[in-house]
Amino acid sequence: MTKFKKFISIIALAVFSLTFLVGCGLFVLNEDRYRDQDAIKVGNEQVKLGEVIDYFNSNGTAFLQQGYTMQQVWDGLFPVFIQQKVMLNEYKTTFDGSKNTSDRATQIGGNAEYLDDETLEYIQKSVFLSFYSSLDSLTMNELKSDFTFEDKVANDDYPEMIEHENGYTPADADRQLDIEALDEKLAEYLPGQDYKTVKYVFAETDEKVAEIVADLNERLVKEDGKETEVTIADYIKAQNKAVSTITKNIKNNKKVDVETYLKDTLKAQVDDQIANDYLAKEVYSEDIQGKITQQVFEDRLAEKIAQETEVYSKNPAAFTSFITGLGSDDFVYYVPEQYKDEYYYVRSILLPFSDEQTALLKAARTRLGSTSAEYKAYRNSFVADLEVKDSEGNVTSYADFKASLGTSVSEKQFIELTYKYNTDPGMQNPVHSYVVSKNPTDLSYGGTSFVREFVDEARAMIAEYENGVDQMHFAVTDYGVHLIMVDGKVVADEIKWSEAKNYGIEGGSASWRFYQEIYTELKDLFADKQVAALYNSYKQSGKIVIDADAISSYTDTLGIEYKD
């Protein structure tokens, strides 16, 4: 069955469902006499109060942290919970396919028989990955009580460039379940996962724990000349404490053991997916893409251009904040006259220093100061010994690598080099290249994420580019050597109906992404309309029965009011 890309939100739901495990939970009623009450009946679905409590406790925390009141969160989430049950019931009562009798479906139980094995595998792995991620957070918190670490910024991944043939549509993107990506993340944990029991704590002889500890020690901030480092025993001890903490929290909040909690979580996620599948069936029976005509596309574009033109004409300075913080969901519809020659896109390939070089530089920064001329000279001396590794693990010297490039390459060649050598995550399948102001009085250096050496070299390159010299430059920073290239002046995005179904490469063309934005908006509006109609139908026909006393027994503990 076709699945919404909204299915991917199941990971977010699973993460939210674990927030209470790390000390962020809401007040809950744990006594069995409360949790086992029949609270709601939706069609044939009987819902216990404990399920309502778990849903609100799982999903409410994130909204409370955003500043919403408890009453606002309840008023927003409770109807959504009922709507999910309505769609679950409707899906099951109208189901006309063959039920899944596989071992996986039997193992999960509940309503797993209504989903195929691929979907169930995705749910299982998503839930366990979220659980292990929560354990990782607790493990690091334990370690940070004794050690201080720098943020992890290195990225040794070499992802393949995203590319789709002409005709690839947002509806095609909706239909993807990336189990391979989950497997890559789960490979960081113990092998032989059965997704029944928690296998998290390493043995001292496991190779992975040695790699983790080595990475932690590279980021370790040593205080007052102390040479103490994190040991494998330290890490395993922290893991065991994390497991103990999460086990106690589950016991206190859920009155069950870890395995039962995870099994219950899997069942809840299965129900959520069934509701999503019902909605997907309704949405895909409607030709959403057929509603996006050239007129709709071009009218929406004209509206966006007019809006930004008005905003930036009244307040041109607002454009500087927007363009230096350009995100993957943003479009450049309009560039104010005074900024038409100031900003440039810059592509970057990071050739990182080795772990050993990085450790020596960290010590030198402490000894010499990161801005001293002596430190910078010391850092720059490392370039001669830099080894350049490609995506297949082949290594060459920096001198030979640089000599092989010459002074200039085409944009196509630079992109090919990016996916062979780059370790900068900001330049892996980007929607936009980095934005740099050529103005030397811009003390922000093009944005808070850029270091001075990078921007200074980029500005020198831009100055040459404006004088007709289009060649690469090399910038040395604490991270390594950045191979950089001008990717053109920042101008309004070229968005055309004729290119709306041409994805292109990397983060996608502006025309395809604009089409996708319209598609997503129309799809969501239609979905909301369908859900509201079904919900009202159930309510008017008496298929939703809520025990107000049972629900109020919970909301009273939250200090809020249940409104029928």
Side-chain angles (χ1 to χ4, degrees):
M1 176 175 289
T2 302
K3 301 176 179 68
F4 264 149
K5 192 163 188 181
K6 279 190 173 181
F7 175 79
I8 305 305
S9 68
I10 195 170
I11 296 178
L13 289 174
V15 171
F16 287 157
S17 70
L18 298 174
T19 54
F20 77 90
L21 301 180
V22 292
C24 304
L26 308 175
F27 295 106
V28 295
L29 292 170
N30 296 318
E31 293 83 355
D32 290 342
R33 66 190 180 92
Y34 285 112
R35 294 183 61 85
D36 288 342
Q37 291 182 81
D38 288 333
I40 307 167
K41 188 170 185 182
V42 179
N44 298 322
E45 298 296 310
Q46 186 69 59
V47 182
K48 300 289 186 181
L49 181 59
E51 191 174 348
V52 178
I53 293 171
D54 292 344
Y55 179 85
F56 189 64
N57 193 51
S58 299
N59 297 284
T61 303
F63 295 102
L64 290 171
Q65 291 172 344
Q66 294 174 38
Y68 292 97
T69 66
M70 190 76 77
Q71 188 70 58
Q72 288 173 324
V73 175
W74 172 264
D75 291 344
L77 283 180
F78 187 63
V80 174
F81 176 78
I82 301 296
Q83 288 169 357
Q84 287 182 326
K85 295 302 177 185
V86 167
M87 289 186 287
L88 172 64
N89 183 75
E90 193 68 12
Y91 183 97
K92 290 171 65 176
T93 55
T94 59
F95 183 79
D96 59 0
S98 299
K99 292 185 178 180
N100 186 352
T101 59
S102 70
D103 290 343
R104 191 188 301 273
T106 302
Q107 173 194 325
I108 294 173
N111 291 311
E113 62 185 353
Y114 289 95
L115 298 177
D116 59 66
D117 256 21
E118 180 189 20
T119 304
L120 293 176
E121 179 185 1
Y122 192 94
I123 292 172
Q124 275 188 312
K125 291 180 176 179
S126 296
V127 168
F128 269 78
L129 178 60
S130 295
F131 190 76
Y132 288 161
S133 295
S134 293
L135 284 169
D136 284 346
S137 296
L138 286 171
T139 297
M140 285 305 300
N141 287 341
E142 291 290 341
L143 289 170
K144 286 177 181 177
S145 64
D146 296 315
F147 303 97
T148 303
F149 302 98
E150 294 179 346
D151 292 335
K152 186 173 183 178
V153 294
N155 188 334
D156 295 329
D157 293 334
Y158 298 86
E160 294 183 2
M161 182 179 68
I162 297 174
E163 187 171 10
H164 295 291
E165 294 181 358
N166 200 354
Y168 177 77
T169 69
D172 295 323
D174 279 346
R175 295 172 169 86
Q176 295 179 353
L177 289 179
D178 198 348
I179 293 176
E180 185 178 337
L182 289 177
D183 287 338
E184 289 177 3
K185 293 177 182 178
L186 286 164
E188 299 172 9
Y189 300 97
L190 285 170
Q193 297 285 339
D194 58 10
Y195 306 108
K196 299 177 185 177
T197 57
V198 174
K199 297 181 180 180
Y200 177 71
V201 179
F202 288 108
E204 290 195 7
T205 55
D206 287 327
E207 291 183 5
K208 285 187 175 67
V209 71
E211 294 173 2
I212 292 170
V213 169
D215 175 71
L216 288 172
N217 284 321
E218 287 169 14
R219 298 190 285 122
L220 183 65
V221 177
K222 296 182 179 180
E223 300 174 358
D224 301 325
K226 294 180 180 178
E227 296 299 321
T228 304
E229 291 192 335
V230 181
T231 65
I232 289 176
D234 290 330
Y235 189 81
I236 292 174
K237 181 180 178 181
Q239 281 190 308
N240 278 309
K241 283 187 176 181
V243 171
S244 177
T245 297
I246 222 164
T247 301
K248 288 177 182 177
N249 285 346
I250 288 173
K251 186 66 175 177
N252 290 337
N253 283 277
K254 302 284 188 177
K255 300 299 182 184
V256 296
D257 58 23
V258 172
E259 287 186 20
T260 302
Y261 165 74
L262 287 172
K263 191 162 187 176
D264 289 346
T265 300
L266 283 169
K267 289 178 182 177
Q269 297 296 340
V270 164
D271 287 355
D272 288 344
Q273 179 55 42
I274 291 173
N276 257 337
D277 277 354
Y278 171 80
L279 194 55
K281 181 176 67 174
E282 293 296 304
V283 168
Y284 286 114
S285 67
E286 182 79 1
D287 184 13
I288 304 295
Q289 291 189 140
K291 298 178 183 295
I292 309 176
T293 63
Q294 180 174 355
Q295 190 67 50
V296 169
F297 183 93
E298 292 177 349
D299 286 350
R300 178 67 61 87
L301 178 59
E303 178 185 344
K304 294 286 189 180
I305 292 172
Q307 288 173 350
E308 287 213 357
T309 301
E310 181 179 5
V311 169
Y312 296 135
S313 294
K314 291 179 178 179
N315 183 17
F319 180 77
T320 63
S321 298
F322 164 73
I323 202 64
T324 56
L326 198 61
S328 59
D329 294 328
D330 293 328
F331 296 88
V332 182
Y333 296 110
Y334 170 76
V335 179
E337 192 64 36
Q338 56 267 57
Y339 296 114
K340 285 188 174 178
D341 294 317
E342 178 168 342
Y343 293 99
Y344 281 79
Y345 290 118
V346 174
R347 281 189 171 272
S348 171
I349 297 172
L350 173 60
L351 310 173
F353 286 128
S354 68
D355 294 342
E356 181 182 358
Q357 288 174 319
T358 299
L360 290 171
L361 287 174
K362 183 171 71 172
R365 284 196 298 274
T366 302
R367 185 175 71 254
L368 304 173
S370 62
T371 60
S372 69
E374 187 178 0
Y375 167 72
K376 291 181 179 179
Y378 177 71
R379 179 190 65 196
N380 293 351
S381 70
F382 281 24
V383 174
D385 297 322
L386 180 66
E387 292 186 334
V388 178
K389 183 173 71 173
D390 69 15
S391 57
E392 297 179 352
N394 301 310
V395 178
T396 187
S397 71
Y398 174 71
D400 289 343
F401 171 78
K402 188 175 181 180
S404 70
L405 298 178
T407 59
S408 181
V409 296
S410 68
E411 180 182 11
K412 180 181 178 181
Q413 289 172 318
F414 195 93
I415 291 173
E416 290 173 350
L417 289 170
T418 298
Y419 293 95
K420 187 173 184 180
Y421 295 103
N422 176 56
T423 60
D424 179 356
M427 283 286 100
Q428 292 171 348
N429 287 304
V431 169
H432 310 282
S433 297
Y434 292 139
V435 175
V436 176
S437 167
K438 72 175 185 180
N439 185 354
T441 62
D442 173 17
L443 300 181
S444 72
Y445 285 91
T448 55
S449 62
F450 296 149
V451 293
R452 180 168 184 162
E453 295 90 338
F454 179 92
V455 178
D456 284 345
E457 195 63 42
R459 285 176 177 162
M461 178 178 64
I462 290 168
E464 292 178 358
Y465 181 84
E466 290 187 324
N467 288 318
V469 180
D470 184 8
Q471 62 183 24
M472 299 175 295
H473 276 229
F474 297 82
V476 182
T477 72
D478 291 346
Y479 304 115
V481 177
H482 303 258
L483 172 58
I484 58 177
M485 175 182 181
V486 173
D487 198 22
K489 189 183 296 184
V490 171
V491 297
D493 288 332
E494 188 175 31
I495 301 175
K496 297 180 178 179
W497 169 253
S498 59
E499 295 295 317
K501 295 184 181 179
N502 183 7
Y503 181 91
I505 62 173
E506 300 186 304
S509 69
S511 299
W512 190 92
R513 290 189 302 108
F514 188 74
Y515 183 93
Q516 180 190 44
E517 185 177 85
I518 300 173
Y519 168 82
T520 301
E521 182 179 322
L522 291 179
K523 181 181 71 177
D524 290 347
L525 285 172
F526 179 79
D528 289 345
K529 182 179 177 182
Q530 292 298 103
V531 171
L534 183 62
Y535 174 81
N536 290 333
S537 166
Y538 266 60
K539 196 169 184 179
Q540 290 168 7
S541 60
K543 290 184 179 180
I544 300 175
V545 180
I546 299 174
D547 187 328
D549 290 337
I551 298 297
S552 294
S553 70
Y554 173 54
T555 55
D556 286 348
T557 67
L558 300 175
I560 59 175
E561 179 184 1
Y562 165 62
K563 305 168 186 175
D564 191 1

